[in-house]
Structure formats: C-alpha cells, structure tokens
Amino acid sequence: MSRVLIVGAGLTGGLCACLLRREMAHRVHIEVWDKARGAGGRMSTSRSPSNLFCTVDLGAQYITATPYYSRIHKSFYQELLMHGIFKPLEATVEGMSPMEQGTIHYITPSGTSSIVKYYLKESGAEVLFGHQLTHVYRRGQCWEVHRKEGLPEQFDVVVLTMPIPQILQLQGDIGSLLSESERQKLEDVSYSSRYALGLFYKAGVQISVPWVAKYVSNNPCIRYIATDDKKRNLVSEEFGPSVVVHTTFSFGMEHLEEATEKVQTIILQELHNVLPGLPEPETIKCQKWRYSQVTRSVTDCPGQMTLLAKPLLVCGGDGFTHSNFDGCVESALKLFEVLKSSL
Ligand SMILES: Cc1cc2nc3c(=O)[nH]c(=O)nc-3n(C[C@H](O)[C@H](O)[C@H](O)COP(=O)(O)OP(=O)(O)OC[C@H]3O[C@@H](n4cnc5c(N)ncnc54)[C@H](O)[C@@H]3O)c2cc1C
C-alpha cells in the first residue's frame, strides 16, 4: 500500500482522491488534509449559526457547462446529475454575460460544497480537517510532512492542491526542488480578490426581489447578489431565506488588508443603497477571498506541475487551468495520470 497525502479538500483534491480510489482501491491509502474546518475550499457552503438548515454559498455560485466541456466531461456531469448533486438552473440570472449557444448552468440544491463532499465520500479517504501543512522534507524515498500542530508524518506521495501562493509559502525542501523557471512560472500566477457576505434570515421572512440572482453593473462595491435559497430551488418553509453578496474585484483589492468587520460595514451600507427594502438579517458572515479566481494561470503546465518524480511530489488545482468546475476536473485528471504512472 502506498501512502498518498492530498493537501486540500477542495474540488481538485476531492476529485483526485475519488479517481485514485476508483482505479487503485487496493494499492493506496489516501489521506486528505485541509487547514479549514470543513470540505469545499472555494466551493464553500456556510450554515447560519442559529439555524443549521439555512445555508449560503459564499464561493462558487453555479456550474457553467459550455458545449465543449459538456462533451469532454460528460461522465462527470452525468454522475452528479444522477445523484441529485446538480440540477439545471431554472431561473434567469439578471445581467449574466451572454454565453455560447448550448451552454447549460447547473445549481447544487445542497450547496456547492456538496460536490466536493460527494467526491470525498466516494474516495473513502481519511479526511482530516484543521490540518495545515507547513513543511515538506525529503527523507529517502518518502516525504516527511509537518503541520501547524501535531507530529510529523511520512507519505510515499504528496499532492498539493491549494492556491499557488500558498504552495510557495510552504517551507522545507520545496524551495530547493523548484528550478528558476518553475519558480518564475508559479510566481507569475495571479488571482483576483473579493469579499462575500452571507445574510441569514429567520424562517418566514420574505425577500421580495424580482430575480433570484443579479449581476450589478456600475457599482464600485457590489458585483453580484443572489437569494441563495431560491437560486438553489429550496422551497421548505423551515429554512429561513439566505442572501449572498459578492463584491467587485477592485473593491476586494482595495480593502484586502482591512479588518473584516470594518469591510462588512461598508458592504452592508452599499447593499442598503442598492436594495433599500432588504430586511435585517438574523446573522451575517463575511468571507475574504484573498485568492478568489485565477486571472493568469501557470503557463505551459496544463493541469499539474511535477516537482519531483521519485518520491512523487506534484501540485495542481485551478491555478494550473482555470477557475471553475471544468478547470478543477481538468487538473484532477492530469494529477491522476501522473499518480497512476508513478504508483
Ligand atoms: C467568490 C467566488 C466565486 C466563484 N464562482 C464560481 C462559479 O460560479 N462557478 C465555478 O465553477 N467556479 C467558481 N469559482 C471558482 C471555484 O470555486 C474554484 O475554481 C474551485 O473551487 C477551486 O478548487 P481547488 O480545489 O482547486 O482549490 P480550493 O477550493 O482553494 O481548495 C484548496 C484547499 O486547500 C486548503 N489549504 C490551503 N493551504 C493549505 C495548507 N497549508 N494545508 C492544508 N490545507 C490547505 C484550503 O483550505 C482549501 O480548502 C468561484 C470562486 C470564488 C472564490
């Protein structure tokens, strides 16, 4: 049995674990580590502290399948539709950019993190949250990995799927494994930054807006608003409604280093101007996405970069493709190819 560590319980890590398990069930022991308290990464679904059924997607909102990706990733779409993880988006989203004819949008009734949770469950991997990788050292034919708290452990293979700046922050032997040109490629990658606000309401509150989601144009702060429960087609009276707000990238950049509470106040003030009749929420969650979506991905390494072949240390994620469902599937497939030939 080879011991494989996948760092990152986001879509790339979750799907990579699932593919590995399906093809090599009896040859690998898979552990997935994530520094967060739950699965999803940037496909994050947050719960109201006072009503566990009231949820909001703070990161990815819906999955957009162009005709090309519907075809080449057909099996992934079919499987998620068959298990009820995906449902076609029925409502119109106001202000959405026109898409190529034949493009389909999917929503996730249980939130976008349900995609990742599905793959992690399928993988049978041991998933450990609150495990932040800090150092990676080569020890003969193994990797010794250190985390923020706890004892070092050894693995035969390590797969890194976090945003690239977080890979570059790792200490130990990683720095010396990178050639000058590889380091440059990784350093050249850029991400947008933005804030997301989740507003949770008590059951029975009505949010009266004529859309389920809307792109706001010409506002320096707010780019997107959705009544998240309606977007996901939830109809139960027991769930309070929820609203998600995304800021513009320029607002995200401008306020990146400010205290989150202060930024939350600014967004709420602006939201009041855009939607004056919006009721007071019961609770609010403000999320800073320092690494939101990739604006420039790694050149010439589509899907993955192998830092060392033996023992295998490989990195992937949307930084090696593009920031959406298909970008992560593409990267997970490339990671899987490398793992398969190495194991
Ligand atoms: C606001 C927003 C809106 C978006 N909208 C859409 C959309 O509508 N449709 C769409 O398809 N995509 C959308 N995306 C993009 C999509 O969410 C991402 O492309 C995708 O989730 C990336 O998945 P990943 O697994 O590659 O990385 P991530 O989801 O970032 O997963 C990496 C994981 O690594 C963990 N990690 C980081 N460092 C460490 C460490 N040292 N140790 C342990 N764990 C660590 C993180 O906690 C994280 O869980 C959006 C993203 C954002 C932020």
Side-chain angles (χ1 to χ4, degrees):
M1 278 256 178
S2 297
R3 280 173 54 78
V4 179
L5 173 66
I6 297 178
V7 185
L11 180 55
T12 308
L15 179 54
C16 179
C18 172
L19 296 169
L20 205 52
R21 168 72 177 209
R22 285 182 180 170
E23 191 111 347
M24 307 193 154
H26 305 295
R27 288 161 53 197
V28 286
H29 168 84
I30 313 167
E31 250 179 57
V32 178
W33 287 8
D34 201 296
K35 64 177 183 172
R37 280 181 297 149
R42 279 169 281 157
M43 298 212 162
S44 131
T45 308
S46 195
R47 288 179 192 283
S48 156
S50 53
N51 176 356
L52 294 182
F53 296 107
C54 182
T55 56
V56 78
D57 278 331
L58 289 174
Q61 294 295 301
Y62 46 81
I63 307 301
T64 300
T66 59
Y68 172 74
Y69 281 113
S70 290
R71 194 173 68 252
I72 68 160
H73 292 159
K74 190 174 172 187
S75 60
F76 297 95
Y77 282 104
Q78 277 182 339
E79 180 177 348
L80 293 170
L81 276 164
M82 197 175 80
H83 286 89
I85 312 281
F86 278 1
K87 291 259 158 63
L89 169 73
E90 282 163 9
T92 7
V93 175
E94 217 178 279
M96 189 193 266
S97 316
M99 301 292 292
E100 188 187 343
Q101 207 179 6
T103 297
I104 306 168
H105 302 287
Y106 297 102
I107 48 101
T108 47
S110 303
T112 47
S113 68
S114 63
I115 312 171
V116 181
K117 287 178 183 161
Y118 170 78
Y119 287 131
L120 286 172
K121 192 162 173 234
E122 285 292 294
S123 77
E126 196 176 337
V127 186
L128 299 164
F129 296 112
H131 277 48
Q132 177 169 353
L133 179 74
T134 54
H135 296 70
V136 182
Y137 294 102
R138 187 178 170 184
R139 298 280 183 249
Q141 284 310 300
C142 289
W143 293 106
E144 182 179 283
V145 291
H146 294 227
R147 56 189 168 95
K148 214 169 173 186
E149 281 152 17
L151 295 170
E153 290 185 46
Q154 293 211 339
F155 290 89
D156 301 299
V157 170
V158 175
V159 183
L160 306 172
T161 69
M162 57 270 232
I164 290 167
Q166 292 174 331
I167 294 179
L168 289 169
Q169 280 160 22
L170 293 174
Q171 294 174 41
D173 292 339
I174 289 208
S176 61
L177 292 172
L178 285 170
S179 67
E180 206 35 57
S181 87
E182 284 172 334
R183 175 177 291 281
Q184 198 55 55
K185 280 182 188 176
L186 296 182
E187 282 176 353
D188 284 347
V189 172
S190 61
Y191 292 77
S192 57
S193 303
R194 66 180 3 163
Y195 283 85
L197 217 56
L199 311 179
F200 303 99
Y201 293 86
K202 281 192 172 145
V205 173
Q206 297 295 325
I207 311 283
S208 308
V209 284
W211 34 260
V212 298
K214 172 190 170 84
Y215 287 91
V216 179
S217 49
N218 303 324
N219 187 291
C221 171
I222 294 175
R223 175 63 184 129
Y224 170 88
I225 311 172
T227 48
D228 207 55
D229 55 316
K230 285 197 192 132
K231 181 197 78 192
R232 290 188 276 133
N233 250 343
L234 302 179
V235 283
S236 171
E237 291 296 309
E238 293 156 41
F239 311 139
S242 59
V243 168
V244 60
V245 178
H246 283 173
T247 69
T248 58
F249 293 158
S250 54
F251 179 90
M253 278 304 284
E254 193 186 327
H255 297 274
L256 197 57
E257 306 307 337
E258 285 172 33
T260 309
E261 304 78 60
K262 195 177 151 203
V263 180
Q264 174 175 317
T265 309
I266 304 172
I267 304 169
L268 283 171
Q269 271 165 0
E270 199 55 51
L271 183 64
H272 183 71
N273 296 335
V274 176
L275 287 179
L278 196 67
E280 277 298 307
E282 191 183 22
T283 45
I284 301 172
K285 177 158 185 193
C286 185
Q287 168 81 46
K288 181 197 299 192
W289 293 114
R290 183 178 290 275
Y291 307 112
S292 180
Q293 282 126 304
V294 178
T295 46
R296 190 171 53 236
S297 57
V298 180
T299 47
D300 306 329
C301 295
Q304 61 83 28
M305 184 186 275
T306 301
L307 303 185
L308 195 70
K310 246 183 184 348
L312 182 63
L313 176 62
V314 60
C315 45
D318 63 352
F320 294 85
T321 50
H322 47 268
S323 279
N324 62 17
F325 175 80
D326 291 295
C328 296
V329 172
E330 228 162 69
S331 175
L333 285 168
K334 293 286 181 194
L335 287 169
F336 174 59
E337 261 175 41
V338 175
L339 287 160
K340 208 163 81 165
S341 56
S342 162
L343 291 163

